[in-house]
Amino acid sequence: MSLADRRILLLGAAGGIGSAIREGLAGRYGLMRLADIAPMTPAGRGEEIAHADLLDIPSLTAAMAGIDCVVHMAGVPVEPETNAWEQVLPANIVGVHNLFEAARRAAVKRVLFASSHHAAGFHRREAPTPQTLVPRPDSYYGVSKVFGEAMGRMYADKFGLQVLALRIGAYRERPSDPRQLAVWISPRDMVELVRCGIEAPDFGYATVCGVSANTRNFWDNSAVAFLGYAPRDNAEAWAAEVLAGAPEDPVALPFQGGWYCAKDFVGDPSRVD
Ligand SMILES: NC(=O)c1ccc[n+]([C@@H]2O[C@H](COP(=O)([O-])OP(=O)(O)OC[C@H]3O[C@@H](n4cnc5c(N)ncnc54)[C@H](O)[C@@H]3O)[C@@H](O)[C@H]2O)c1
């Protein structure tokens, strides 16, 4: 399919990552439809604005009309400090079911699902191994991402939807703590990862770790080489500055998910294998 024929829906387009994708891929495809519950700046060339709420299947289905690929970047992006389960439940559980169901009803071909490394944050920090793809959530937020991956896998197997789970690391302009020297993804690499996901040849279901070319990376993307994702940034450029800051919490330290693991943790971290 030529780039001019591609019709993309960016859901969560008003958010931090959504805005970077909007800007980074502006003008690349025949259509970039932008949807959110929050207001957005007016549509530019090749863009359309739609209002779509993860809690409302008809609004999602309408926003997906004629769309080939949905880029999901919507919902609750962190573990809330209080009442985490109650806050995560609507958009990240019910809403994610609605996302995939609307995609099925609208005959969308592909969904890029914004998952998170917190879906597997209780793995220990070690050399890259495919084992770290096994779910091991470190929070209710992480559980919601495991749920989304499972829902996507079911829609891929049962309905033939192509689903790419993006296990996004820590997205920001620059790493700000020692753990982020491993899990950071730069805005430029994030946009490139989404571009690769949109343009990759047909597949069924796959998981890719959304991480820059960090020297201290924990993760292995060799199984998804077909995506052609080649990150260019490396958190090591900030290592001296970051390591001069505060040391990590001793409970957070052994685990990939960092402070998400330490939050409300009971006992000694050595009990977690
Ligand atoms: N930022 C990170 O470091 C990071 C890391 C891992 C995963 N992620 C995931 O990436 C995605 C985007 O993260 P972000 O940092 O850009 O978050 P963000 O909060 O900046 O953006 C999320 C967007 O979703 C929209 N939204 C919320 N509820 C909605 C609903 N019911 N219907 C439609 N839209 C709704 C919000 O209005 C917002 O614009 C999230 O799913 C997050 O879990 C982010």
Side-chain angles (χ1 to χ4, degrees), residues 132-146:
T132 57
L133 286 184
V134 175
R136 199 154 183 182
D138 57 23
S139 50
Y140 292 104
Y141 167 74
V143 168
S144 80
K145 296 305 185 182
V146 174

PDB file of all heavy atoms in Angstrom, residues 132-146:
ATOM      1  N   THR A 132      11.841 -11.843  29.370  1.00  0.00           N
ATOM      2  CA  THR A 132      11.286 -10.624  29.960  1.00  0.00           C
ATOM      3  C   THR A 132       9.996 -10.190  29.267  1.00  0.00           C
ATOM      4  O   THR A 132       9.341  -9.265  29.722  1.00  0.00           O
ATOM      5  CB  THR A 132      12.300  -9.464  29.948  1.00  0.00           C
ATOM      6  OG1 THR A 132      12.707  -9.233  28.612  1.00  0.00           O
ATOM      7  CG2 THR A 132      13.481  -9.755  30.825  1.00  0.00           C
ATOM      8  N   LEU A 133       9.621 -10.857  28.167  1.00  0.00           N
ATOM      9  CA  LEU A 133       8.324 -10.552  27.554  1.00  0.00           C
ATOM     10  C   LEU A 133       7.176 -11.199  28.324  1.00  0.00           C
ATOM     11  O   LEU A 133       6.016 -10.820  28.169  1.00  0.00           O
ATOM     12  CB  LEU A 133       8.286 -11.031  26.098  1.00  0.00           C
ATOM     13  CG  LEU A 133       9.094 -10.193  25.104  1.00  0.00           C
ATOM     14  CD1 LEU A 133       8.896 -10.709  23.690  1.00  0.00           C
ATOM     15  CD2 LEU A 133       8.733  -8.715  25.180  1.00  0.00           C
ATOM     16  N   VAL A 134       7.484 -12.193  29.156  1.00  0.00           N
ATOM     17  CA  VAL A 134       6.425 -12.861  29.926  1.00  0.00           C
ATOM     18  C   VAL A 134       5.813 -11.842  30.895  1.00  0.00           C
ATOM     19  O   VAL A 134       6.541 -11.153  31.614  1.00  0.00           O
ATOM     20  CB  VAL A 134       7.008 -14.056  30.712  1.00  0.00           C
ATOM     21  CG1 VAL A 134       5.953 -14.680  31.619  1.00  0.00           C
ATOM     22  CG2 VAL A 134       7.577 -15.089  29.754  1.00  0.00           C
ATOM     23  N   PRO A 135       4.468 -11.727  30.918  1.00  0.00           N
ATOM     24  CA  PRO A 135       3.862 -10.729  31.791  1.00  0.00           C
ATOM     25  C   PRO A 135       4.258 -10.892  33.255  1.00  0.00           C
ATOM     26  O   PRO A 135       4.306 -12.008  33.772  1.00  0.00           O
ATOM     27  CB  PRO A 135       2.356 -10.973  31.613  1.00  0.00           C
ATOM     28  CG  PRO A 135       2.230 -11.596  30.275  1.00  0.00           C
ATOM     29  CD  PRO A 135       3.477 -12.432  30.100  1.00  0.00           C
ATOM     30  N   ARG A 136       4.528  -9.788  33.895  1.00  0.00           N
ATOM     31  CA  ARG A 136       4.862  -9.790  35.318  1.00  0.00           C
ATOM     32  C   ARG A 136       4.575  -8.382  35.838  1.00  0.00           C
ATOM     33  O   ARG A 136       5.495  -7.618  36.167  1.00  0.00           O
ATOM     34  CB  ARG A 136       6.334 -10.168  35.506  1.00  0.00           C
ATOM     35  CG  ARG A 136       6.609 -10.633  36.907  1.00  0.00           C
ATOM     36  CD  ARG A 136       7.774 -11.554  37.000  1.00  0.00           C
ATOM     37  NE  ARG A 136       7.863 -11.973  38.381  1.00  0.00           N
ATOM     38  CZ  ARG A 136       8.806 -12.765  38.852  1.00  0.00           C
ATOM     39  NH1 ARG A 136       9.741 -13.224  38.062  1.00  0.00           N
ATOM     40  NH2 ARG A 136       8.821 -13.098  40.126  1.00  0.00           N
ATOM     41  N   PRO A 137       3.298  -8.002  35.870  1.00  0.00           N
ATOM     42  CA  PRO A 137       2.942  -6.601  36.116  1.00  0.00           C
ATOM     43  C   PRO A 137       3.376  -6.120  37.492  1.00  0.00           C
ATOM     44  O   PRO A 137       3.387  -6.875  38.461  1.00  0.00           O
ATOM     45  CB  PRO A 137       1.422  -6.582  35.966  1.00  0.00           C
ATOM     46  CG  PRO A 137       0.984  -8.002  36.133  1.00  0.00           C
ATOM     47  CD  PRO A 137       2.109  -8.853  35.636  1.00  0.00           C
ATOM     48  N   ASP A 138       3.695  -4.824  37.550  1.00  0.00           N
ATOM     49  CA  ASP A 138       4.209  -4.253  38.803  1.00  0.00           C
ATOM     50  C   ASP A 138       3.226  -3.294  39.453  1.00  0.00           C
ATOM     51  O   ASP A 138       3.600  -2.578  40.396  1.00  0.00           O
ATOM     52  CB  ASP A 138       5.542  -3.543  38.533  1.00  0.00           C
ATOM     53  CG  ASP A 138       5.436  -2.447  37.478  1.00  0.00           C
ATOM     54  OD1 ASP A 138       4.336  -1.927  37.263  1.00  0.00           O
ATOM     55  OD2 ASP A 138       6.488  -2.100  36.878  1.00  0.00           O
ATOM     56  N   SER A 139       1.973  -3.253  38.970  1.00  0.00           N
ATOM     57  CA  SER A 139       1.013  -2.230  39.418  1.00  0.00           C
ATOM     58  C   SER A 139      -0.333  -2.571  38.799  1.00  0.00           C
ATOM     59  O   SER A 139      -0.420  -3.406  37.891  1.00  0.00           O
ATOM     60  CB  SER A 139       1.469  -0.858  38.903  1.00  0.00           C
ATOM     61  OG  SER A 139       1.741  -0.942  37.498  1.00  0.00           O
ATOM     62  N   TYR A 140      -1.398  -1.880  39.267  1.00  0.00           N
ATOM     63  CA  TYR A 140      -2.703  -2.060  38.605  1.00  0.00           C
ATOM     64  C   TYR A 140      -2.625  -1.542  37.171  1.00  0.00           C
ATOM     65  O   TYR A 140      -3.243  -2.091  36.259  1.00  0.00           O
ATOM     66  CB  TYR A 140      -3.811  -1.356  39.397  1.00  0.00           C
ATOM     67  CG  TYR A 140      -4.052  -2.027  40.737  1.00  0.00           C
ATOM     68  CD1 TYR A 140      -3.595  -1.462  41.917  1.00  0.00           C
ATOM     69  CD2 TYR A 140      -4.707  -3.250  40.797  1.00  0.00           C
ATOM     70  CE1 TYR A 140      -3.794  -2.089  43.135  1.00  0.00           C
ATOM     71  CE2 TYR A 140      -4.915  -3.886  42.016  1.00  0.00           C
ATOM     72  CZ  TYR A 140      -4.454  -3.299  43.176  1.00  0.00           C
ATOM     73  OH  TYR A 140      -4.646  -3.931  44.372  1.00  0.00           O
ATOM     74  N   TYR A 141      -1.872  -0.459  36.987  1.00  0.00           N
ATOM     75  CA  TYR A 141      -1.638   0.061  35.638  1.00  0.00           C
ATOM     76  C   TYR A 141      -0.988  -1.018  34.761  1.00  0.00           C
ATOM     77  O   TYR A 141      -1.419  -1.268  33.631  1.00  0.00           O
ATOM     78  CB  TYR A 141      -0.741   1.302  35.741  1.00  0.00           C
ATOM     79  CG  TYR A 141      -0.159   1.784  34.449  1.00  0.00           C
ATOM     80  CD1 TYR A 141      -0.939   2.450  33.510  1.00  0.00           C
ATOM     81  CD2 TYR A 141       1.204   1.589  34.165  1.00  0.00           C
ATOM     82  CE1 TYR A 141      -0.380   2.910  32.318  1.00  0.00           C
ATOM     83  CE2 TYR A 141       1.759   2.048  32.987  1.00  0.00           C
ATOM     84  CZ  TYR A 141       0.962   2.705  32.064  1.00  0.00           C
ATOM     85  OH  TYR A 141       1.514   3.154  30.886  1.00  0.00           O
ATOM     86  N   GLY A 142       0.041  -1.685  35.314  1.00  0.00           N
ATOM     87  CA  GLY A 142       0.704  -2.760  34.568  1.00  0.00           C
ATOM     88  C   GLY A 142      -0.253  -3.896  34.245  1.00  0.00           C
ATOM     89  O   GLY A 142      -0.232  -4.465  33.150  1.00  0.00           O
ATOM     90  N   VAL A 143      -1.126  -4.211  35.201  1.00  0.00           N
ATOM     91  CA  VAL A 143      -2.142  -5.245  34.958  1.00  0.00           C
ATOM     92  C   VAL A 143      -3.046  -4.825  33.792  1.00  0.00           C
ATOM     93  O   VAL A 143      -3.410  -5.637  32.938  1.00  0.00           O
ATOM     94  CB  VAL A 143      -2.979  -5.496  36.229  1.00  0.00           C
ATOM     95  CG1 VAL A 143      -4.210  -6.340  35.927  1.00  0.00           C
ATOM     96  CG2 VAL A 143      -2.127  -6.175  37.303  1.00  0.00           C
ATOM     97  N   SER A 144      -3.385  -3.539  33.737  1.00  0.00           N
ATOM     98  CA  SER A 144      -4.258  -3.080  32.646  1.00  0.00           C
ATOM     99  C   SER A 144      -3.572  -3.245  31.296  1.00  0.00           C
ATOM    100  O   SER A 144      -4.235  -3.513  30.280  1.00  0.00           O
ATOM    101  CB  SER A 144      -4.702  -1.625  32.868  1.00  0.00           C
ATOM    102  OG  SER A 144      -3.709  -0.681  32.493  1.00  0.00           O
ATOM    103  N   LYS A 145      -2.260  -3.116  31.270  1.00  0.00           N
ATOM    104  CA  LYS A 145      -1.535  -3.284  30.005  1.00  0.00           C
ATOM    105  C   LYS A 145      -1.455  -4.770  29.617  1.00  0.00           C
ATOM    106  O   LYS A 145      -1.541  -5.114  28.445  1.00  0.00           O
ATOM    107  CB  LYS A 145      -0.141  -2.653  30.102  1.00  0.00           C
ATOM    108  CG  LYS A 145      -0.164  -1.144  30.294  1.00  0.00           C
ATOM    109  CD  LYS A 145      -0.959  -0.431  29.212  1.00  0.00           C
ATOM    110  CE  LYS A 145      -0.887   1.085  29.313  1.00  0.00           C
ATOM    111  NZ  LYS A 145      -1.698   1.776  28.290  1.00  0.00           N
ATOM    112  N   VAL A 146      -1.298  -5.646  30.610  1.00  0.00           N
ATOM    113  CA  VAL A 146      -1.353  -7.091  30.328  1.00  0.00           C
ATOM    114  C   VAL A 146      -2.727  -7.445  29.766  1.00  0.00           C
ATOM    115  O   VAL A 146      -2.853  -8.203  28.793  1.00  0.00           O
ATOM    116  CB  VAL A 146      -1.058  -7.911  31.599  1.00  0.00           C
ATOM    117  CG1 VAL A 146      -1.266  -9.402  31.334  1.00  0.00           C
ATOM    118  CG2 VAL A 146       0.359  -7.649  32.097  1.00  0.00           C
TER     119      VAL A 146
END
